Amino acid sequence: MQSKHTPILTVRQLSKSYPEPEKNSLFRRGMNHAVQNVSFDLYSGETLGIVGESGCGKSTVARLVMGLETPDAGSVVFHDTRIDQLPERSLRPLRPRFQMVFQDSGSSLNSRKRVVDILREPMLYHRIVTKDKAEARIDELLDMVGLSPSTKQRYPHEFSGGQRQRICIAKALSLDPELIILDEPVSALDVSVQAQILNLLRDLQEKLGVAYLFIGHGLGAVHYISHRIAVMYRGRIVEMGDSEEVFRHPAHPYTRALLDAAPLADYDARERERIVLRGEIGHTDWTEGCAFRSRCPYASEECTCIGSAMTSVPGAPEHLSACMAGTQERGV
Amino acid sequence: MKPLLEVKNLEVSFFQGKRQTRCTDRVSFDVKPGEILCLVGESGCGKSITALSILGLLSRAGRVTKGEILYQGRDLLKLREKELDAIRGREIAMIFQDIMYSLNPVFTIGNQMTEVIRRHLHYKQKDAEALSVELLQKTGITQPETVMRKFPHQLSGGMRQRVMIAMALACKPKLLIADEPTTALDVTIQLQIMQLLKQLRDETGMAILLITHDIGVVAEMADRVVVMYAGQCVEKAEARQLLESPAHPYTQALLKAVPGIHDDRSQRLASIPGTVPEEYQSMTGCRFAPRCPHGNVCCRNAQRVEIEPGHEVECCAILMRRQTNDAE
């Protein structure tokens, strides 16, 4: 494992916008700023969780890091190589080192191929193993993700959702990656199966030292798996820090509202005091100021010009928050 | 209090040619006026099938093969389609999870709302419009007139669910069946909808049968809870009883498997080993036994035990333990 101080993935000022038809106009096109100035580091053997509601840009971040989209601005550096501008051809030799697992395990496995072929093809393509050793490696991989090697002759539809997600994880692991990007890997699963997959991911990380970029909207699951958490709102990271620190002492009002909205499995929790957000994530072209100000219960005049840069929370240098409007005096 | 709705020993089967698949087995529960009863369980446990069968909305292959569904003493299963039509929407309304498919994409919201009101309450167009505006306002929509002119795709998921709720409220139903109403929504919007449903319950006194897979939603909303597993009710209790002292091993495991936002991260999450057996329909006795930490041979015939007033559980391990205690 590498030292904690050299990140394997460095993302700086990443931005991506998509054209979007403007409301009430057939011809004018507005821009949807899906990701704006997102920066973070990811260290070897670590999990960074990205949480946020739908449309906040968390999946776009994943696609940008994977090189499935080209950013408008900013950089993605994997070890020492800047990968965001690389042509597909030069990116290909690097691909085995960072892999992705998607939410929909059903559509990310080729339904006409047997599991054994699904797992073999990428390994042979990238010359990870020789033909004669592939079979043994596949058995090992299936065993590692908790599936019986005897199931390898089956087709994906013969497995349950949880088992299919295990196959996807095995597929990602087959190339010995240093980084796996997991885009909502447990959102489609039942709670009991979700717990199995989360535990599996944690065990694999311990064993193999692989780093995860875990994207999810289930706060409990993201908290459980992540060492550090980044909270996104409308394309920006609004708060980032140690997983426990962020959830225990949220510095940004949005994080607090999000945590308040998460239903707890506790009867008395229904009476607790909390921020209930009014309205919904709107569509505005703000690039200045705090993106959350239209719904924020603490918003003031100054939020129109400040609030997009991240600063350290007093007393916790690793804990960054984009809310500057006096976090301490509110006792948030 | 006399129950509003009583489901007794319900068995719903699906037929494929001659092959019969029993999807639910001896499902029994009741809903009292003004209460929120949560039906909770994982996918495939039969909770939605149970809800659909109440209003006779099962697809053609599905049929209630045993049991009865009593609404204010009348068996809904014995009613003719026309009589059932008078109950659907007026007495018992239903809202669904997939809000996109519950609204017609080619008509405006106003159009669809007034149609419901004219059809059920025989209002004139103008009065129906006025009532629609009032109902939309009640569900927290700030500009109801504008929303009335919009098409479903122009609204967000949360707004669409509000429209669905407004429509369901049109005839002041005594019972609202809500099938995973917040599952497709973000947590902050989910909280808004949950609070809206509770507020409407308090105002109108209607009962809500809420179907969900999320223990958090149960904790937030439920007065009483029915836990389902593999087509059977395994535990019935008051919400507090269930959350604080779950009795059935499945309920216990389910509660432990939910990662909480304030949990200690170093603690390993308790998962339930294995999966729901595929051929559970033909299993005799306790269907959770193969995954149960206490499972043993005696689980062949599950029996219902009442461990506290209002707290019923179907588990032989508990029954055995009680019997030995009593004998001593």
Side-chain angles (χ1 to χ4, degrees):
Chain A
M1 217 187 268
Q2 278 167 325
S3 84
K4 176 98 180 131
H5 302 288
T6 46
I8 59 166
L9 181 74
T10 314
V11 172
R12 286 290 172 270
Q13 301 293 322
L14 204 61
S15 297
K16 176 82 185 169
S17 346
Y18 297 98
E20 198 177 63
E22 206 152 287
K23 265 188 189 160
N24 310 324
S25 159
L26 201 55
F27 304 106
R28 276 196 10 245
R29 287 186 153 243
M31 287 310 247
N32 174 14
H33 301 279
V35 173
Q36 278 183 68
N37 296 331
V38 164
S39 303
F40 59 84
D41 292 328
L42 183 63
Y43 298 92
S44 176
E46 180 200 47
T47 306
L48 174 68
I50 301 184
V51 283
E53 297 176 285
S54 49
C56 74
K58 53 190 192 305
S59 289
T60 310
V61 169
R63 297 180 62 82
L64 287 167
V65 171
M66 276 305 286
L68 300 174
E69 301 271 352
T70 325
D72 299 343
S75 63
V76 180
V77 178
F78 184 67
H79 285 292
D80 300 321
T81 324
R82 198 169 155 183
I83 54 172
D84 54 285
Q85 302 295 347
L86 278 188
E88 183 58 37
R89 243 184 135 168
S90 336
L91 192 59
R92 213 166 290 155
L94 284 171
R95 282 260 186 240
R97 298 170 69 185
F98 53 101
Q99 285 292 306
M100 187 155 176
V101 173
F102 297 90
Q103 172 177 358
D104 186 358
S105 57
S107 63
S108 43
L109 296 172
N110 188 337
S111 54
R112 297 184 58 182
K113 285 189 174 166
R114 295 173 193 276
V115 171
V116 58
D117 298 322
I118 291 173
L119 292 176
R120 182 163 41 203
E121 195 179 338
M123 286 200 289
L124 293 183
Y125 179 85
H126 286 291
R127 308 211 173 122
I128 304 285
V129 288
T130 51
K131 245 183 196 162
D132 47 320
K133 286 195 183 131
E135 208 77 359
R137 173 77 179 141
I138 289 166
D139 290 355
E140 187 192 323
L141 282 167
L142 286 174
D143 190 55
M144 208 148 55
V145 297
L147 288 173
S148 154
S150 62
T151 57
K152 68 182 171 191
Q153 294 299 339
R154 295 201 201 154
Y155 288 96
H157 74 264
E158 295 176 71
F159 294 89
S160 69
Q163 288 171 324
R164 269 204 297 266
Q165 202 55 281
R166 286 172 194 267
I167 298 170
C168 290
I169 293 168
K171 192 171 88 168
L173 287 173
S174 66
L175 303 176
D176 270 326
E178 291 161 68
L179 165 67
I180 300 183
I181 297 164
L182 301 138
D183 190 2
E184 308 251 12
V186 295
S187 306
L189 306 175
D190 276 320
V191 267
S192 67
V193 183
Q194 174 183 322
Q196 290 172 6
I197 299 289
L198 290 174
N199 282 333
L200 171 70
L201 287 170
R202 264 173 64 153
D203 293 345
L204 290 170
Q205 183 168 57
E206 224 162 82
K207 208 155 90 189
L208 308 169
V210 55
Y212 295 141
L213 183 63
F214 187 99
I215 288 151
H217 67 265
L219 294 167
V222 176
H223 175 250
Y224 177 69
I225 196 112
S226 310
H227 300 102
R228 285 190 304 134
I229 281 182
V231 182
M232 282 188 76
Y233 184 75
R234 286 185 47 186
R236 294 181 195 165
I237 293 181
V238 295
E239 182 164 4
M240 183 156 61
D242 176 76
S243 178
E244 253 146 66
E245 168 76 17
V246 169
F247 272 36
R248 276 211 195 115
H249 312 287
H252 198 283
Y254 176 65
T255 313
R256 208 180 140 192
L258 203 59
L259 290 170
D260 281 354
L264 303 176
D266 176 2
Y267 186 82
D268 294 312
R270 62 171 82 178
E271 303 300 336
R272 72 189 188 275
E273 224 179 275
R274 54 188 167 186
I275 304 178
V276 182
L277 288 184
R278 300 271 152 236
E280 310 188 357
I281 302 180
H283 279 271
T284 39
D285 273 336
W286 295 338
T287 42
E288 289 292 302
C290 175
F292 184 55
R293 63 179 188 263
S294 60
R295 298 169 84 194
C296 181
Y298 306 108
S300 64
E301 269 300 296
E302 55 189 348
C303 295
T304 52
C305 43
I306 55 166
S308 53
M310 303 266 280
T311 46
S312 285
V313 172
E318 301 267 293
H319 186 172
L320 304 172
S321 161
C323 186
M324 322 234 285
T327 34
Q328 49 288 55
E329 73 227 42
R330 284 198 313 267
V332 179
Chain B
M1 212 190 306
K2 254 188 91 178
L4 186 68
L5 180 82
E6 262 180 291
V7 174
K8 283 185 184 167
N9 288 319
L10 190 73
E11 181 188 285
V12 179
S13 301
F14 277 76
F15 292 89
Q16 220 176 9
K18 278 193 177 162
R19 217 179 105 203
Q20 180 183 9
T21 314
R22 289 180 184 85
C23 290
T24 65
D25 176 41
R26 291 177 297 122
V27 170
S28 302
F29 59 86
D30 53 15
V31 187
K32 298 190 178 68
E35 86 169 340
I36 300 179
L37 180 80
C38 275
L39 216 53
V40 63
E42 296 181 284
S43 49
C45 74
K47 52 193 195 304
S48 288
I49 294 293
T50 306
L52 289 173
S53 60
I54 293 171
L55 283 179
L57 297 175
L58 290 172
S59 69
R60 203 170 280 173
R63 215 163 62 216
V64 176
T65 35
K66 255 183 221 158
E68 42 191 8
I69 299 171
L70 301 175
Y71 174 73
Q72 293 185 325
R74 281 163 81 196
D75 192 348
L76 296 183
L77 297 171
K78 296 214 174 83
L79 295 185
R80 267 173 298 176
E81 190 64 15
K82 217 171 177 186
E83 295 170 307
L84 199 56
D85 252 359
I87 288 177
R88 275 190 206 133
R90 293 199 71 156
E91 300 273 327
I92 305 176
M94 188 156 179
I95 53 176
F96 300 89
Q97 176 186 349
D98 40 1
I99 16 189
M100 198 62 228
Y101 303 107
S102 306
L103 292 166
N104 191 330
V106 298
F107 289 104
T108 60
I109 299 298
N111 222 315
Q112 299 182 54
M113 284 206 69
T114 49
E115 185 196 350
V116 171
I117 295 165
R118 280 165 46 202
R119 162 88 168 70
H120 284 296
L121 302 174
H122 311 292
Y123 273 35
K124 293 215 177 68
Q125 178 66 24
K126 233 184 184 161
D127 301 333
E129 268 167 31
L131 182 61
S132 305
V133 169
E134 195 192 312
L135 289 166
L136 287 173
Q137 228 154 18
K138 227 187 213 169
T139 55
I141 290 175
T142 41
Q143 291 169 306
E145 288 89 352
T146 334
V147 170
M148 293 267 284
R149 284 195 299 271
K150 290 204 167 156
F151 288 93
H153 74 269
Q154 294 173 301
L155 302 177
S156 65
M159 286 289 253
R160 273 185 231 138
Q161 195 55 281
R162 282 175 200 274
V163 169
M164 286 308 299
I165 293 170
M167 249 187 229
L169 290 177
C171 304
K172 299 199 179 76
K174 292 197 184 70
L175 174 65
L176 177 70
I177 302 175
D179 189 358
E180 307 256 14
T182 59
T183 306
L185 306 174
D186 279 319
V187 273
T188 56
I189 309 298
Q190 164 169 289
L191 181 62
Q192 292 175 4
I193 297 290
M194 287 195 297
Q195 294 199 333
L196 170 68
L197 284 173
K198 271 201 282 193
Q199 176 208 332
L200 291 170
R201 187 273 304 256
D202 294 341
E203 280 170 18
T204 63
M206 69 177 173
I208 300 176
L209 175 60
L210 181 72
I211 288 134
T212 181
H213 69 276
D214 188 343
I215 295 289
V217 172
V218 173
E220 191 77 41
M221 301 278 294
D223 296 322
R224 282 193 308 133
V225 190
V226 176
V227 183
M228 288 186 70
Y229 180 78
Q232 295 176 329
C233 298
V234 293
E235 187 162 0
K236 265 180 253 179
E238 307 268 324
R240 185 187 285 279
Q241 282 172 336
L242 187 100
L243 292 162
E244 286 170 8
S245 47
H248 197 281
Y250 174 65
T251 318
Q252 289 170 347
L254 194 63
L255 285 174
K256 279 196 207 125
V258 184
I261 54 172
H262 297 304
D263 285 0
D264 181 2
R265 283 193 52 240
S266 56
Q267 290 288 320
R268 207 179 153 78
L269 198 58
S271 61
I272 309 177
T275 48
V276 182
E278 266 169 50
E279 297 286 312
Y280 67 75
Q281 292 88 2
S282 53
M283 285 174 78
T284 52
C286 178
R287 292 176 175 177
F288 187 60
R291 301 173 79 189
C292 179
H294 315 294
N296 53 36
V297 235
C298 81
C299 298
R300 284 275 165 73
N301 44 47
Q303 265 181 336
R304 226 161 260 174
V305 211
E306 188 165 34
I307 48 174
E308 265 180 292
H311 192 169
E312 277 177 38
V313 57
E314 199 165 299
C315 174
C316 343
I318 294 172
L319 183 71
M320 284 251 292
R321 228 177 296 144
R322 296 203 113 209
Q323 282 167 344
T324 33
N325 282 352
D326 288 347
E328 279 164 19

